[in-house]
């Protein structure tokens, strides 16, 4: 027997109090409270009703609406029944079951799923067979028990056998099987608990999308390995779809090349802009350095002026100071011999006062010259 998922209800009560819309979701503008981290998932799917032990220890006594809203003991949950076809199980189905599960603080949700025979008779052909639909409902987290081959119209015997307290369904009259509303007698008995439909999604809407884009899905499945026979597609249509797929591949390749070309051109433009900016910066730097060196007030002009001054200073004669001693007062300078006068040369004759110079040369003579 599956344990009651009390932790789910406790978790809901522990959230920050907020208003909810008709389909159980918080209204727009409301902020969701933070949920404590905990493991609330169930390990096993919901059991089938015909596999459970019959509850014969207590007589069947219904719970009133007020008692159910106040809360019942842990060992006496409110037994809520919801039925349907649940073909191509989607979020709209799950939301409806969530609303049914959250009708009362302590709820045991029983879900009835109609068989293929009844469904094809009263509603139409289904995408999923009955076993697939049974299994889909078993693995919904809000479901506690599944009734296979559920009746199209609920009888008092069926309600008593499954000990049902309330029946959950949207309150739109459901005309079928020659009746304006198959839940009319349930509403009159005070056992009806209304839920709200989720707008924008239904099994019919999903089938409409598939039919509308039939070619797309046929090509998709052919590409994934399904044969034309499995898809009930003729030979001509198969070739047409394969040709369309090839054309689309070529178009995708062209788009990819265009996108890559655009990316390449964009990268080249970005790099060219960077190169131009760097070139401009280097050009400014080069021009600045050139002007600093060769400009009117550049370093070269100052270097030439400085060099010219030094050259003029080097080639101009030094002026003798006014207090310098006369030639007579100077001390005799040491004499030097010319290299061609060797030791074998005769000693030089003393100088004459006639002004003729001998072979003795002094520093003073050099200076006079």
């Amino acid at each position: 027997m599956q344990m009651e998922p009390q932790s789910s209800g406790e978790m809901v009560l522990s959230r920050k109090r907020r208003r909810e819309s008709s389909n159980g979701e918080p209204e727009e503008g409301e902020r969701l409270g933070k949920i404590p981290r905990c493991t609330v998932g169930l390990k096993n799917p919901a059991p089938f009703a015909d596999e459970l032990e019959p509850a014969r220890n207590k007589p069947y006594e219904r719970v009133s609406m007020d008692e159910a809203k106040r809360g019942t003991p842990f060992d006496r949950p409110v037994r809520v029944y919801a039925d349907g076809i649940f073909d191509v199980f989607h979020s709209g189905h799950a939301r409806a079951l969530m609303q049914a599960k959250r009708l009362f603080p302590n709820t045991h949700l029983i879900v009835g799923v109609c068989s293929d025979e009844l469904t094809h008779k009263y509603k139409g052909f289904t995408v999923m067979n009955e076993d697939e639909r049974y299994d889909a409902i078993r693995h919904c987290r809000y479901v506690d028990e599944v009734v296979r081959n559920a009746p199209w119209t609920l009888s008092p015997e069926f309600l008593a056998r499954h000990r049902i307290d309330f029946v959950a369904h949207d309150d739109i009259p459901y005309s079928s099987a020659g009746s304006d509303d198959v839940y009319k007698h349930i509403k009159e008995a005070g056992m009806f608990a209304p839920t709200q439909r989720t707008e924008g999604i239904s099994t019919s809407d999903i089938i409409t999308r598939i039919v509308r884009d039939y070619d797309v899905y046929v090509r998709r499945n052919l590409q994934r390995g399904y044969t034309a026979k499995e898809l009930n597609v003729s030979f001509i249509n198969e070739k047409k779809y394969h040709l369309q797929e090839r054309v689309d591949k070529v178009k995708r390749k062209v788009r990819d090349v265009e996108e890559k070309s655009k990316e390449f051109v964009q990268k080249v433009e970005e790099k060219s802009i960077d190169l131009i900016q760097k070139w401009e910066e280097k050009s400014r730097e080069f021009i600045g350095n050139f002007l600093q060196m060769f400009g009117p007030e550049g370093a070269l002009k100052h270097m030439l002026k400085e060099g010219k001054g030094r050259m003029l200073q080097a080639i101009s004669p030094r002026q003798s100071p006014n207090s310098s001693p006369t030639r007579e007062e100077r001390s005799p300078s040491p004499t030097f011999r010319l290299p061609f006068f060797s030791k074998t040369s005769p000693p030089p004759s003393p100088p004459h006062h006639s002004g003729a110079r001998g072979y003795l040369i002094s520093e003073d003579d050099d200076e006079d010259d």
Side-chain angles (χ1 to χ4, degrees):
M1 186 72 177
Q2 188 180 13
M3 294 181 64
E4 295 294 330
Q6 286 295 107
S7 58
S8 176
E10 293 173 359
M11 181 181 65
V12 172
L13 294 176
S14 64
R15 298 180 186 180
K16 293 182 179 179
R17 188 178 299 276
R18 64 182 185 275
R19 293 176 299 167
E20 293 183 353
S21 62
S22 58
N23 62 351
E25 292 298 311
E27 292 184 353
E28 187 176 359
E30 294 285 336
R31 289 188 177 182
L32 290 174
K34 297 295 183 181
I35 301 173
R37 291 184 179 272
C38 59
T39 303
V40 297
L42 303 177
K43 296 181 180 180
N44 300 316
F48 292 116
D50 53 4
E51 296 176 350
L52 297 175
E53 296 179 356
R56 298 174 180 174
N57 52 351
K58 291 183 180 180
Y60 170 58
E61 295 181 3
R62 280 194 58 243
V63 177
S64 66
M65 182 67 72
D66 293 336
E67 292 175 342
K69 289 182 177 180
R70 284 197 303 267
T72 56
F74 176 77
D75 58 347
R76 177 55 175 96
V78 180
R79 296 175 65 85
V80 177
Y81 177 81
D83 59 358
I85 309 302
F86 303 108
D87 189 22
V88 190
F89 188 79
H90 51 75
S91 62
H93 295 142
R95 288 175 184 272
L97 298 179
M98 179 187 69
Q99 295 177 60
K101 180 70 175 178
R102 297 172 62 179
L103 283 172
F104 308 108
N106 185 15
T107 303
H108 181 85
L109 180 59
I110 308 167
V111 179
V113 183
C114 298
S115 64
D116 288 343
E117 182 181 358
L118 282 177
T119 304
H120 297 167
K121 179 179 179 181
Y122 293 112
K123 191 167 184 179
F125 193 74
T126 58
V127 177
M128 302 168 64
N129 59 44
E130 58 185 25
D131 292 329
E132 293 170 338
R133 293 185 285 113
Y134 296 155
D135 196 55
I137 292 298
R138 289 187 69 195
H139 290 85
C140 179
R141 64 182 298 178
Y142 309 111
V143 178
D144 299 303
E145 185 179 336
V146 178
V147 177
R148 291 181 285 195
N149 193 16
W152 200 260
T153 303
L154 303 179
S155 63
E157 294 77 17
F158 177 84
L159 297 175
R161 182 168 68 252
H162 292 280
R163 298 171 174 265
I164 295 171
D165 296 312
F166 297 97
V167 176
H169 199 274
D170 61 83
D171 55 359
I172 300 174
Y174 193 85
S175 58
S176 179
S179 173
D180 294 335
D181 188 2
V182 295
Y183 297 102
K184 182 178 180 181
H185 63 290
I186 302 295
K187 295 176 181 178
E188 293 175 350
M191 298 178 62
F192 189 79
T195 59
Q196 298 295 325
R197 295 176 63 89
T198 301
E199 298 297 333
I201 186 169
S202 68
T203 301
S204 299
D205 291 338
I206 295 174
I207 295 175
T208 301
R209 295 179 205 171
I210 297 172
V211 173
R212 181 184 59 200
D213 300 325
Y214 170 79
D215 291 349
V216 175
Y217 292 111
V218 170
R219 289 165 53 189
R220 168 184 177 271
N221 283 9
L222 285 173
Q223 187 180 4
R224 295 194 175 190
Y226 288 88
T227 63
K229 184 177 181 181
E230 290 174 329
L231 297 173
N232 196 23
V233 175
S234 66
F235 176 79
I236 296 175
N237 286 335
E238 179 187 7
K239 298 305 177 185
K240 181 187 73 172
Y241 292 137
H242 282 307
L243 179 60
Q244 290 176 348
E245 186 64 29
R246 291 172 186 169
V247 172
D248 287 346
K249 283 184 178 179
V250 173
K251 289 181 180 179
R252 286 194 293 268
K253 288 182 179 179
V254 172
R255 281 198 300 267
D256 293 341
V257 171
E258 290 179 353
E259 291 177 358
K260 290 180 180 179
S261 301
K262 289 180 182 179
E263 292 178 359
F264 177 75
V265 172
Q266 186 177 2
K267 289 180 181 179
V268 170
E269 289 179 353
E270 292 176 355
K271 287 188 176 181
S272 61
I273 292 172
D274 293 340
L275 289 174
I276 292 172
Q277 291 178 350
K278 290 180 181 179
W279 182 82
E280 289 179 350
E281 293 176 359
K282 294 294 182 182
S283 300
R284 293 193 192 99
E285 183 179 355
F286 176 78
I287 294 171
N289 293 336
F290 182 84
L291 293 176
Q292 187 177 3
M293 177 61 71
F294 301 103
E297 299 298 330
L300 182 61
K301 184 176 182 181
H302 292 291
M303 291 172 61
L304 292 175
K305 284 183 178 180
E306 185 178 354
K308 184 178 179 182
R310 290 181 180 177
M311 290 176 63
L312 292 175
Q313 184 178 3
I315 63 176
S316 62
R318 292 180 296 178
Q319 295 182 357
S320 301
N322 296 330
S323 60
S324 61
T326 61
R327 182 171 183 176
E328 291 78 7
E329 295 176 352
R330 293 179 187 171
S331 59
S333 301
T335 59
F336 297 94
R337 294 183 182 271
L338 292 175
F340 53 81
F341 290 103
S342 62
K343 293 182 181 180
T344 59
S345 301
S349 59
H352 299 282
H353 294 285
S354 60
R357 294 190 179 183
Y359 293 101
L360 294 175
I361 300 174
S362 65
E363 290 179 358
D364 296 334
D365 295 334
D366 294 337
E367 291 178 0
D368 293 339
D369 291 339

